[in-house]
Amino acid sequence: MVSTGELEIFRHSLKSVVEEMGVTLQRTAYSTNIKIRRDHTCALFDSRLRHVAQHDVAPQHIGSLVSVVPRNVRALEWDLEPGDGILINDPYRGAVHLPDVMLISPVFHEDEIVGYAANSAHHVDIGGGTPGGIPNDSTELYAEGIVIPGVHAVEDWEYQDRVLEFLLRNVREPEMRRGDYRAQLGANRTGQKRYAALCDRYGAGAVADYLDELLDYTERRVRAAIEALPDGRYEATDEMDGDGVTDDPVTLALAIEVDGTEITLDFTGTADQNRGPLNCTPAMAFAGAMSVVMAFIGGDLPKNDGFYRPFETVTPEGTMVNPTDNAPVAAGWEIAMRAGDLVAKAMAGAVPEETVAATKGIVCNIAYGGDDPRDDSPYVYYETVAGGYGARATKDGMDAVQTHFQNTANSPIEELEAEIPVYVREYGLRENSAGAGRQRGGLGVRRDYEFYGDNATFSLLTDRTKSAPWGLFGGHSAGPAEFVRDPDGEATALSSKSTTELDPGEVVSVRTPGGGGYGDPLERDPQAVLEDVRNGVCSQRRAREVYGVVVSDGEVDEAATRERRREMGDSLEDPTAGSDAEEGTR
Amino acid sequence: MTIRIGVDTGGTFTDVVLYDEETGRIHTTKTPSTPPDFDRGVLDGIDDILAGTDTDPAEVSFLSHGTTVGTNAVLEGDIPPLGLITNEGLRDVLEIGDQTRPELYDLQQEKQPSLIPRRRRLGVPGRMRHDGTELDPLDEAAVEAAIDELADQGVDSVVVSMLFSYLNDDHERRVGECIEAHEADIEYALSSAVYPETREYDRTVTTVLNEAVKRNIADYLGRLEAGVVDRGVDVPLNVMHSGGGVFSPGQATQFALRTVLSGPAAGAVAARDVATGLGFEDAIGLDMGGTSADVSIVENGDIVRSTEGEINDLPIKTPLIDINTVGAGGGSIAWVDEAGGLRVGPKSAGADPGPLCYDRGGTEPTVTDANLLLGRIRPEAFVAGDMDLVVDRTRERFREAVADPLDESVEAAALSVLKVANAKMAREIRRVTVERGRDPGEFVLVAFGGAGPLQAAAVAEQMGISSVILPRTPGVLSARGLLLADVRTDESRAYRGDRLDAEAMAEGYATLEATQRERFAEMGFDAEEVTLQRGADMRYVGQSYELTVEVDTPLDEAAVRTAVERFHREHERIYGYAMADEPVEAVTLRVTGEVPTPPLRDEPDATEEAADRGTQDVYFEAQGTRETAVYWRPALPVDTTIEGPLLLEGTGSTAIVPPDATATVTDDGSILVER
């Protein structure tokens, strides 16, 4: 019997192992995705392939390693030796999208396998038809990059030259990628060293006892948290933009069933799998939904097998959340992100005060490449852009933040311009983009790029140009995404999944959605509306027409506002009026 | 002129330390702080200690001051009306920041409001390229209009921050000139002058915070300086900065943000002094108080510094001692979660109402209560009145809130609480040393603050540390650091040459060294008194993490090669590998200037009091309850060696020496605990 005090101490020691793995990976990696945007995770599994600890810095990785490691290690047809490593990124063997490459190493202690160290890191490029691994019109997985099905790539803590050279020959900027592969190996080596040291300290048998208790304890905590939610089946659906090949909207459906101490995430009702890349693996759908479920059950829960036990996920085969036949998945994270929004929408029926209106709801994958005239070399870059957060019962949505599973930082303009032939002409809050409400949604972001090199291509693999982020309880929806070529001239709208070739000097403007509002805008504090008018994020006209707040000479005209709000209240038959936010957005 | 005085201002108390070089004695006093005019409390403290020691103000040879007054005001939202002029289209950079949100899984979280509201952030046409050449000319008419608008809005000062100004400050300077020429009386700050390094958001936010703190601190320091002169003290007032040195009030005003860690930095300096004085070159400083513990590192006799930190989720790019804070202190609350797990913190009872056993209305069991229940501290130390009653009440509440839910005895549960708190600390310290590529077992632990000496032995054991130093005056060690700090300034600028070019680097260093000489001249030092040391932040081309390495003088090709070799070695040490064939680049050049302050040679006070204070039953994990000798620590003579278990009581702090360890009183009055 393990005492609870001892268990908590053990938990800190175990957590310390995965944290040190994370430190090693992040500090030694080359890709900005890993070292700056922290798009990576490290985990430990025990000898029975139970997930026991995870370095939890990026919620998109909840569920990723756990769906890969047990399944693929069990399937191995060879015996693992100390210092071995298996590379894998195959979405059809439990992984997510191809750029997330995972490395699994056995952990040995006194000649026995006592567990496995594993990490997953987002490589900037994984080969395939477009730079950055996000082609937007592929109809099969093969176009998205090189598929690594579980390869014995490391022996005695060294990559096998032929395997590594083979992989690197298939990706852009191979020397940078070599650094990332090396960093991933260093992380697992840290895991081997520290987990073995833990076994030295406690004894391998005692570690196993502690792990049993830790997983049970975690399960008890998760179940207790779920039990506090009201039982019921809570449903929500939304339409996503086309799949990249056709432009027809497709349905994403999610029901959350709370039953005692268990939760089922049921994607039944979701559209069939798409021909284009708008498909995600079950691991991605789960991560996207869980990143928001976490907020309802407690964010500090340890991630291990015990954590996952009370959840069941239903992803009908052949739908876009569980595709078959090597369908492409490059836009899968967009589905996962929207699943997060749907969790929040569904939970409005269960705990209305605790949830949030729709957020920007997109990952906003952007990749660009071309020739750099400064040194006549090709370049490639990938980034994502923030947007509005949904409004809450008592708080406005945050402006310009990453949402749900995503919390990756931006690229400083000075670093970007030093590295890439581009000028970021505009980077700011998108005016009038917030969903109106008693609490307003957050503002979206505008980012304008001027490319001055030859052969520039600008790829979008994102969504939400059609279905706007919804409001809740009378709150209005926010402005949807817009992507505009030549914004000050012809202003051509670009599709959310498209690749555009640009002449030198051309500008593309990315405008991400705001967040939805919460509650009736006519109940919003006029001073709060005034503050937004003064800061130029809400036009005077919008204040009057949507909020019923009359601003003159920089102050609220209180009499006119009372009158205006009375008029509007009378004429408003449908309090859930639709989107009005696109008016006047810039 | 043989008297040194240090004054450390906190939110509640002002600590004053006086050292008499002739007698080798240290005197301390505590006076109430006097918010919002903290200078009054400081001057009161100086008056008190001068009167109390019958010292002639003219005898004062060194005066230094630690204060976070200015920074605290800004952190609490007291920000003067500032404006921002930046590039057209980029006025929201300050607000968007790095586009992340503070918490991953909290749907109700809030972002800090922007330091300057959007209506006072204005963009003007004019832009530099990444190599510092001009892309678009500055539109001076637009600049004039922006200044007019900010003047109308009543700003006190305007921060000017434009792209690539660290490479070419021409546009920023011209905006500054326009502000100066403007009819309204507005001050300004240029990002290229405050923090001439890359990354526009970091540079902007650092400059804005600096300007905000500056405007809060300028009057304060002015009044303080005048007050010091009035008292006939004829030495400059030194101000402690986050880099672990002192500088002049003028510089403390101009680079106000550099005072952000004034207090903890002084503690780190004192910890280093104690460790190196006893011959330990690698040490971990652990300053554990009521709500949190500050961890600092000494490597090769030098404090580990960093070039960046964070306050309130905002990045600050100023040189500072690398101090990591762990949310574990004497007041951390122990609780049992819904799944029956024992947790300690992050909530804290702080000093008010404090732990149950303080008997001041605290209702939740804390780490300090666990120590009391195990006999490790005696209630006499902090309560007057009926102690048995206090102990009984504490025991009952602890049983109800922790022991019963865990189904453990009160002693077992109390021990678990301590172990969990220690495990949290050990995990954090471990992470800090591992990031340096070091095993914590290679260090000695210097434990101070009210709660540090109680936990130190157990924390050390968890990390495989065999020696623990308990400095003589654990409660006022930080103030002692003020008396020891060298005069020091750190200057840096972005490297502007191609790759690694000795000539371009030498040029950069020449500029930095000229600045340094000016700063020290302002403080009244001759050039030959000042030691200048060069460093460079280097990285492999393509990486975004830099490591600072020393650069030799004279700077020729050989010196550059040596620096690159140092970089490879440092990379190998910290990250476990080096890439000898990969190209290396320099990002930032640094020059540190230092004028050493002589060490303290104080003798431990002789005391007539008896050392022996009887015995006490103390519960230990391995040995169970043991009869433990209790000593009055100040009365133990130098070179005394005693076997554990021991309780060593002192003013404001109790230390514990476990059964399998030995305690020795060292020459400087510290206790060295070894096992």
Side-chain angles (χ1 to χ4, degrees):
Chain A
M1 174 65 195
V2 175
S3 98
T4 48
E6 294 294 340
L7 181 67
E8 177 73 358
I9 295 155
F10 177 79
R11 189 176 72 80
H12 280 288
S13 303
L14 193 65
K15 185 90 194 197
S16 178
V17 178
V18 284
E19 279 173 358
E20 278 181 42
M21 290 173 67
V23 167
T24 308
L25 177 56
Q26 185 181 2
R27 308 255 326 168
T28 57
Y30 264 52
S31 283
T32 43
N33 273 335
I34 303 168
K35 65 193 181 201
I36 305 281
R37 300 203 194 100
R38 302 185 285 267
D39 192 350
H40 60 80
T41 190
C42 296
L44 285 173
F45 293 77
D46 70 2
S47 58
R48 292 155 58 194
L49 288 162
R50 294 182 307 177
H51 182 212
V52 295
Q54 183 158 9
H55 188 221
D56 190 15
V57 290
Q60 67 266 36
H61 295 291
I62 298 173
S64 65
L65 287 167
V66 74
S67 88
V68 166
V69 175
R71 173 176 167 178
N72 289 282
V73 171
R74 283 198 188 101
L76 290 183
E77 288 171 2
W78 71 87
D79 288 334
L80 289 168
E81 304 282 331
D84 273 1
I86 303 156
L87 275 180
I88 181 168
N89 74 344
D90 189 344
Y92 291 90
R93 295 186 187 212
V96 288
H97 64 162
L98 295 179
D100 280 356
V101 178
M102 303 169 188
L103 179 68
I104 308 165
S105 307
V107 175
F108 278 82
H109 179 253
E110 292 171 356
D111 302 326
E112 296 283 330
I113 291 185
V114 289
Y116 302 85
N119 69 78
S120 174
H122 185 150
H123 289 229
V124 166
D125 191 84
I126 192 69
T130 49
I134 60 158
N136 41 45
D137 57 355
S138 55
T139 55
E140 39 182 17
L141 184 66
Y142 310 109
E144 297 181 339
I146 186 163
V147 185
I148 312 171
V151 172
H152 189 170
V154 179
E155 273 181 17
D156 203 15
W157 298 111
E158 294 280 350
Y159 282 100
Q160 298 194 44
D161 284 348
R162 283 177 207 158
V163 175
L164 191 60
E165 293 319 309
F166 171 71
L167 292 175
L168 295 177
R169 182 65 188 90
N170 282 280
V171 299
R172 298 169 183 84
E173 299 188 307
E175 285 316 305
M176 305 272 272
R177 302 296 85 74
R178 188 191 299 277
D180 293 340
Y181 280 110
R182 200 163 356 202
Q184 288 191 269
L185 185 56
N188 280 9
R189 199 162 188 175
T190 300
Q192 155 73 52
K193 197 165 119 198
R194 294 275 294 114
Y195 193 49
L198 199 69
C199 291
D200 277 342
R201 194 163 107 213
Y202 283 88
V207 166
D209 291 343
Y210 275 109
L211 291 177
D212 285 344
E213 181 53 30
L214 177 64
L215 302 191
D216 290 347
Y217 157 77
T218 305
E219 180 179 351
R220 287 197 302 275
R221 274 183 71 190
V222 178
R223 287 190 185 277
I226 295 173
E227 198 164 19
L229 296 170
D231 279 4
R233 183 177 168 93
Y234 309 102
E235 299 179 345
T237 61
D238 193 23
E239 302 288 307
M240 302 198 61
D241 294 354
D243 68 355
V245 176
T246 70
D247 231 8
D248 304 325
V250 286
T251 301
L252 180 67
L254 174 60
I256 301 192
E257 207 168 292
V258 182
D259 181 7
T261 66
E262 294 183 355
I263 284 182
T264 304
L265 303 166
D266 184 354
F267 286 89
T268 304
T270 293
D272 288 347
Q273 74 184 63
N274 290 301
R275 214 174 137 236
L278 190 67
N279 296 301
C280 70
T281 67
M284 296 159 91
F286 179 73
M290 283 307 294
S291 67
V292 179
V293 171
M294 292 296 297
F296 294 102
I297 60 174
D300 64 340
L301 295 164
K303 305 299 175 307
N304 58 41
D305 256 26
F307 171 87
Y308 296 108
R309 286 175 197 158
F311 293 97
E312 190 188 342
T313 314
V314 179
T315 51
E317 198 172 82
T319 65
M320 67 174 176
V321 292
N322 188 5
T324 58
D325 300 323
N326 294 311
V329 297
W333 288 119
E334 291 295 348
I335 301 174
M337 175 62 81
R338 197 68 57 84
D341 259 3
L342 288 181
V343 170
K345 189 181 192 180
M347 293 306 281
V351 279
E353 303 293 309
E354 290 174 33
T355 198
V356 54
T359 69
K360 71 160 179 162
I362 54 172
V363 175
C364 202
N365 295 296
I366 295 171
Y368 36 92
D371 296 327
D372 191 335
R374 297 171 298 183
D375 59 359
D376 290 322
S377 67
Y379 67 89
V380 42
Y381 207 81
Y382 165 85
E383 63 178 349
T384 64
V385 182
Y389 204 71
R392 290 72 62 92
T394 59
K395 293 167 184 161
D396 288 348
M398 294 177 284
D399 300 329
V401 290
Q402 298 284 35
T403 65
H404 301 335
F405 73 69
Q406 189 185 25
N407 206 26
T408 43
N410 55 12
S411 316
I413 295 169
E414 285 172 346
E415 280 191 357
L416 188 62
E417 294 191 1
E419 205 172 319
I420 305 287
V422 67
Y423 302 121
V424 177
R425 285 296 185 177
E426 174 108 24
Y427 184 44
L429 302 174
R430 191 178 167 203
E431 293 165 6
N432 297 316
S433 62
R438 185 186 68 220
Q439 269 64 46
R440 71 156 169 86
L443 293 154
V445 169
R446 174 171 172 174
R447 191 160 165 104
D448 287 8
Y449 305 81
E450 177 187 335
F451 295 94
Y452 58 85
D454 287 331
N455 301 319
T457 60
F458 187 83
S459 293
L460 291 162
L461 185 55
T462 180
D463 208 90
R464 211 163 219 172
T465 55
K466 293 173 185 159
S467 165
W470 53 80
L472 287 177
F473 306 107
H476 293 195
S477 50
E482 288 178 44
F483 307 99
V484 186
R485 178 181 192 172
D486 191 13
D488 298 323
E490 284 183 23
T492 321
L494 300 177
S495 153
S496 61
K497 298 174 190 70
S498 61
T499 296
T500 309
E501 293 181 3
L502 300 169
D503 290 331
E506 273 201 281
V507 176
V508 178
S509 179
V510 169
R511 298 158 191 197
T512 63
Y518 192 114
D520 185 349
L522 296 185
E523 291 174 17
R524 184 167 177 78
D525 177 0
Q527 291 303 320
V529 176
L530 176 67
E531 182 69 11
D532 279 351
V533 171
R534 284 182 173 165
N535 280 323
V537 296
C538 173
S539 67
Q540 213 157 312
R541 182 170 150 219
R542 182 174 156 82
R544 185 188 147 79
E545 292 185 356
V546 180
Y547 289 101
V549 172
V550 181
V551 176
S552 57
D553 298 331
E555 295 297 334
V556 174
D557 181 335
E558 296 197 9
T561 296
R562 268 195 302 278
E563 180 58 26
R564 171 83 190 139
R565 284 191 154 180
R566 190 160 48 235
E567 264 172 47
M568 287 175 73
D570 289 346
S571 67
L572 208 64
E573 283 172 6
D574 175 13
T576 55
S579 170
D580 47 52
E582 48 285 58
E583 177 266 323
T585 52
R586 50 180 283 285
Chain B
M1 299 272 282
T2 54
I3 302 291
R4 286 194 234 172
I5 294 179
V7 189
D8 185 20
T9 302
T12 320
F13 287 107
T14 299
D15 290 331
V16 190
V17 187
L18 181 147
Y19 168 60
D20 185 335
E21 288 172 9
E22 273 179 8
T23 63
R25 294 204 55 174
I26 283 191
H27 306 265
T28 60
T29 185
K30 229 180 205 356
T31 57
S33 294
T34 52
D37 302 319
F38 283 94
D39 48 298
R40 250 184 333 107
V42 175
L43 295 170
D44 288 349
I46 293 174
D47 287 340
D48 269 16
I49 205 144
L50 288 175
T53 55
D54 200 17
T55 302
D56 176 0
E59 284 302 306
V60 175
S61 62
F62 182 87
L63 177 60
S64 79
H65 179 37
T67 175
T68 48
V69 166
T71 321
N72 286 349
V74 168
L75 293 185
E76 283 153 21
D78 181 9
I79 297 168
L82 302 177
L84 174 72
I85 294 181
T86 184
N87 301 89
E88 184 177 37
L90 304 183
R91 67 155 149 167
D92 294 329
V93 161
L94 179 67
E95 182 155 355
I96 296 172
D98 70 357
Q99 81 175 6
T100 65
R101 62 192 189 283
E103 302 290 333
L104 287 180
Y105 304 115
D106 179 2
L107 297 179
Q108 303 299 326
Q109 65 185 297
E110 299 264 43
K111 229 168 100 171
Q112 293 286 334
S114 178
L115 296 165
I116 301 178
R118 192 171 196 257
R119 57 182 171 275
R120 297 204 303 257
R121 305 193 303 253
L122 304 175
V124 295
R127 191 159 170 143
M128 299 293 177
R129 291 191 189 88
H130 75 282
D131 57 0
T133 58
E134 186 179 81
L135 174 65
D136 303 325
L138 184 70
D139 179 344
E140 293 208 3
V143 173
E144 290 295 341
I147 300 168
D148 288 344
E149 192 176 333
L150 292 173
D152 280 351
Q153 292 195 44
V155 304
D156 287 350
S157 176
V158 174
V159 168
V160 185
S161 181
M162 306 184 83
L163 286 185
F164 300 109
S165 64
Y166 61 98
L167 296 177
N168 183 345
D169 63 358
D170 180 56
H171 289 177
E172 280 194 3
R173 265 193 303 105
R174 281 162 57 198
V175 174
E177 284 160 18
C178 291
I179 297 171
E180 220 161 309
H182 194 271
E183 59 188 7
D185 183 22
I186 300 176
E187 297 195 25
Y188 65 91
L190 309 183
S191 80
S192 51
V194 173
Y195 172 63
E197 292 181 38
T198 183
R199 290 170 200 162
E200 67 283 355
Y201 167 64
D202 296 355
R203 189 170 64 249
T204 307
V205 79
T206 298
T207 309
V208 170
L209 279 172
N210 191 71
E211 189 64 8
V213 177
K214 175 178 163 183
R215 305 197 66 78
N216 281 340
I217 207 175
D219 291 347
Y220 164 79
L221 287 178
R223 289 195 303 270
L224 200 53
E225 250 191 312
V228 167
V229 172
D230 278 354
R231 277 158 181 76
V233 175
D234 190 25
V235 287
L237 174 74
N238 293 307
V239 179
M240 185 83 195
H241 58 71
S242 318
V246 292
F247 58 177
S248 69
Q251 282 166 32
T253 306
Q254 194 181 349
F255 300 105
L257 193 55
R258 295 191 189 180
T259 60
V260 61
L261 289 181
S262 200
V269 168
R272 188 232 6 224
D273 182 67
V274 172
T276 53
L278 292 174
F280 296 97
E281 296 292 296
D282 294 319
I284 296 166
L286 177 67
D287 180 0
M288 187 174 177
T291 51
S292 62
D294 288 334
V295 178
S296 61
I297 306 281
V298 175
E299 257 187 319
N300 303 323
D302 224 346
I303 298 174
V304 171
R305 293 180 167 82
S306 171
T307 54
E308 57 186 21
E310 201 175 81
I311 44 173
N312 276 17
D313 294 324
L314 299 170
I316 51 167
K317 300 286 178 162
T318 68
L320 37 77
I321 290 182
D322 200 355
I323 290 173
N324 287 269
T325 302
V326 197
S332 293
I333 290 172
W335 54 291
V336 177
D337 68 27
E338 66 279 9
L342 172 64
R343 313 279 286 279
V344 178
K347 271 198 272 180
S348 169
D352 195 23
L356 295 171
C357 61
Y358 283 15
D359 205 23
R360 288 202 298 253
T363 57
E364 301 305 322
T366 64
V367 169
T368 298
D369 296 313
N371 272 312
L372 176 91
L373 295 173
L374 293 173
R376 296 176 177 211
I377 40 177
R378 304 199 291 179
E380 295 89 317
F382 43 80
V383 271
D386 190 340
M387 291 161 221
D388 288 347
L389 187 69
V390 170
V391 174
D392 286 347
R393 274 209 302 257
T394 302
R395 179 181 300 277
E396 274 326 295
R397 177 66 191 133
F398 197 92
R399 186 193 306 282
E400 176 189 41
V402 182
D404 283 353
L406 293 180
D407 198 20
E408 287 180 347
S409 71
V410 167
E411 285 72 21
L415 193 65
S416 295
V417 168
L418 295 188
K419 287 168 73 178
V420 169
N422 294 339
K424 276 180 86 161
M425 251 181 295
R427 175 176 151 198
E428 178 67 14
I429 296 172
R430 207 180 156 87
R431 191 185 58 70
V432 173
T433 61
V434 166
E435 280 181 356
R436 310 268 324 145
R438 295 286 301 268
D439 180 338
E442 299 161 13
F443 293 75
V444 57
L445 186 68
V446 183
F448 55 106
L454 266 176
Q455 312 300 127
V459 172
E461 191 186 354
Q462 288 225 2
M463 293 184 297
I465 291 177
S466 55
S467 303
V468 177
I469 300 170
L470 308 170
R472 178 152 46 110
T473 46
V476 290
L477 198 72
S478 291
R480 190 183 158 92
L482 291 172
L483 301 179
L484 291 164
D486 298 330
V487 181
R488 172 184 171 114
T489 60
D490 305 274
E491 294 297 328
S492 64
R493 58 186 276 149
Y495 171 62
R496 304 174 186 199
D498 266 349
R499 292 291 153 90
L500 284 172
D501 173 38
E503 208 171 303
M505 288 175 77
E507 214 171 280
Y509 283 122
T511 312
L512 285 170
E513 284 166 359
T515 310
Q516 282 287 21
R517 276 192 284 273
E518 242 172 73
R519 302 223 188 290
F520 278 91
E522 278 166 25
M523 291 191 275
F525 292 102
D526 295 333
E528 55 270 23
E529 292 177 83
V530 184
T531 315
L532 295 178
Q533 193 179 15
R534 295 172 172 184
D537 295 0
M538 296 184 150
R539 64 183 180 192
Y540 291 115
V541 175
Q543 279 193 321
S544 297
Y545 281 108
E546 297 91 34
L547 293 173
T548 306
V549 295
E550 206 180 310
V551 177
D552 297 336
T553 312
L555 220 177
D556 49 19
E557 294 303 325
V560 172
R561 274 197 302 278
T562 307
V564 169
E565 274 157 30
R566 282 183 190 134
F567 169 77
H568 287 308
R569 273 206 303 278
E570 186 74 353
H571 201 276
E572 167 83 40
R573 192 171 77 79
I574 292 194
Y575 301 140
Y577 70 88
M579 296 184 286
D581 301 332
E582 290 288 307
V584 172
E585 63 186 357
V587 180
T588 305
L589 306 182
R590 305 186 175 277
V591 172
T592 297
E594 239 173 12
V595 176
T597 297
L600 295 191
R601 309 225 174 277
D602 56 324
E603 303 296 324
D605 289 346
T607 170
E608 297 303 308
E609 292 163 291
D612 188 348
R613 291 204 160 184
T615 61
Q616 161 88 10
D617 283 344
V618 178
Y619 187 86
F620 293 95
E621 184 188 10
Q623 297 85 359
T625 302
R626 289 278 300 266
E627 188 181 31
T628 299
V630 183
Y631 289 95
W632 178 241
R633 189 179 155 179
L636 290 173
V638 167
D639 288 340
T640 308
T641 297
I642 324 175
E643 301 290 323
L646 300 169
L647 273 192
L648 302 173
E649 294 184 337
T651 320
S653 173
T654 300
I656 193 151
V657 180
D660 52 353
T662 307
T664 307
V665 182
T666 58
D667 288 348
D668 67 347
S670 300
I671 305 271
L672 179 61
V673 180
E674 290 172 300
R675 70 166 92 222

